[in-house]
Amino acid sequence: MIAQNVVFWILAVAMVLAAIGVVRSNNLVHAALYLVVVLAGSAAQFILLAAEFVAWVQVLIYIGAVIILFLFGIMLTRAPMREDLSLDNDQRLAGAVVALFLLGVLSTLLIQAFGDSKIDITGPQGSELVNNGRAGTLAESIFSTYVLPFELVSILLLASLIGAVVLARRD
Amino acid sequence: MVAQFLVLAAVLFCIGVYGVLARRNGVLVLMSVELMLNAVNINLITFSAYLRETSGQVFALFVITIAAAEVGVGLAIVLLIYRNISSPDLDQLDQMSG
């Protein structure tokens, strides 16, 4: 439990600093690389929560595919590869006020509701937790209970593929 | 134990909200949306471990898939904006204001 807490706090501090880097950086490529740190950190948090398969999917799809798409987007919009001070608009103060207010409300609520809840990771309950995160268990769930949403997601992916091609096509 | 994961997700979500509100570049707005979706995933996985349910992890997989589709279409739209007004800045899209 202690080791898990230590790892959690190291990862949490790194993730929050990198997330601030994503929204404050003056360089588009640096922002994308900060986003990699946040996504890798959350994959590590998933492993701490024994969600092994989701962690690997996170690494493959988010860090592997989505970041590459972002880098393509940065290159295709011919963003300057240097410091660019015009990346923010003039709503920074309002945005900060809204975000801090939301953070206050959410964290007060969450700490009051779940402040003393614990995840039991010892003994048989811990092995149940690990078993829940395996690919086999998730596959059983996806292909029995959630088979209809699964098929819908595949249609959605096809539609967004065609949509992206139609939108980006030059004619 | 549960609350620290949830508060971490809330912090990441609020940073994403700030990014969506304060960024001008379309690609950076999409990156902030990704931060928010990722915060939701942390919440789903935490509750999946807390309630000992697989459903939370299945939902997180669906969210990851839909986030990938959203980035694909979103970047195509930003590209189209760039091609039409020669700038990826979203606040220059003011043709409809009188």
Side-chain angles (χ1 to χ4, degrees):
Chain A
M1 197 62 107
I2 301 290
Q4 199 192 15
N5 266 328
V6 171
V7 176
F8 170 85
W9 286 111
I10 293 172
L11 287 171
V13 170
M15 283 166 75
V16 170
L17 290 179
I20 291 173
V22 174
V23 296
R24 294 294 298 134
S25 165
N26 285 326
N27 187 321
L28 274 164
V29 181
H30 289 182
L33 295 179
Y34 279 127
L35 189 61
V36 172
V37 176
V38 180
L39 297 175
S42 51
Q45 301 282 18
F46 294 168
I47 292 195
L48 275 187
L49 289 165
E52 183 192 335
F53 181 65
V54 185
W56 288 117
V57 170
Q58 167 99 0
V59 170
L60 289 175
I61 297 192
Y62 261 122
I63 304 177
V66 171
I67 295 293
I68 299 297
L69 265 180
F70 274 126
L71 291 176
F72 267 111
I74 291 170
M75 283 189 287
L76 289 172
T77 53
R78 296 204 180 76
M81 295 293 160
R82 54 184 155 70
E83 299 286 295
D84 181 0
L85 295 176
S86 65
L87 293 174
D88 285 353
N89 58 24
D90 44 11
Q91 298 172 14
R92 264 186 295 195
L93 185 66
V97 170
V98 169
L100 283 176
F101 175 73
L102 190 62
L103 178 63
V105 172
L106 280 178
S107 49
T108 316
L109 196 74
L110 288 172
I111 289 172
Q112 278 193 359
F114 296 101
D116 44 5
S117 307
K118 286 211 173 5
I119 301 174
D120 195 2
I121 52 169
T122 50
Q125 298 216 294
S127 56
E128 187 201 348
L129 198 63
V130 171
N131 192 43
N132 274 348
R134 286 193 203 287
T137 323
L138 285 178
E140 271 168 30
S141 188
I142 288 178
F143 291 111
S144 58
T145 321
Y146 295 105
V147 69
L148 191 63
F150 177 76
E151 296 296 337
L152 280 176
V153 158
S154 53
I155 294 175
L156 177 87
L157 277 178
L158 180 66
S160 71
L161 178 75
I162 297 172
V165 171
V166 169
L167 281 177
R169 192 174 49 137
R170 229 180 262 272
D171 50 5
Chain B
M1 189 62 213
V2 177
Q4 66 194 32
F5 285 99
L6 299 179
V7 170
L8 171 68
V11 171
L12 290 179
F13 187 87
C14 294
I15 294 173
V17 169
Y18 169 79
V20 170
L21 291 176
R23 285 301 206 181
R24 173 184 280 156
N25 189 296
V27 180
L28 284 169
V29 171
L30 281 176
M31 282 187 203
S32 309
V33 172
E34 288 306 305
L35 276 181
M36 290 158 75
L37 286 168
N38 195 56
V40 172
N41 276 344
I42 295 178
N43 258 345
L44 285 171
I45 301 287
T46 308
F47 279 114
S48 159
Y50 176 51
L51 302 171
R52 302 182 179 281
E53 258 291 329
T54 354
S55 308
Q57 298 183 30
V58 177
F59 285 170
L61 288 176
F62 285 142
V63 170
I64 290 175
T65 321
I66 289 171
E70 176 252 4
V71 170
V73 178
L75 282 176
I77 293 173
V78 172
L79 213 62
L80 207 61
I81 291 171
Y82 177 76
R83 214 177 282 153
N84 281 329
I85 64 173
S86 304
S87 156
D89 292 351
L90 297 181
D91 53 0
Q92 290 187 26
L93 284 173
D94 53 0
Q95 287 95 331
M96 285 180 67
S97 70

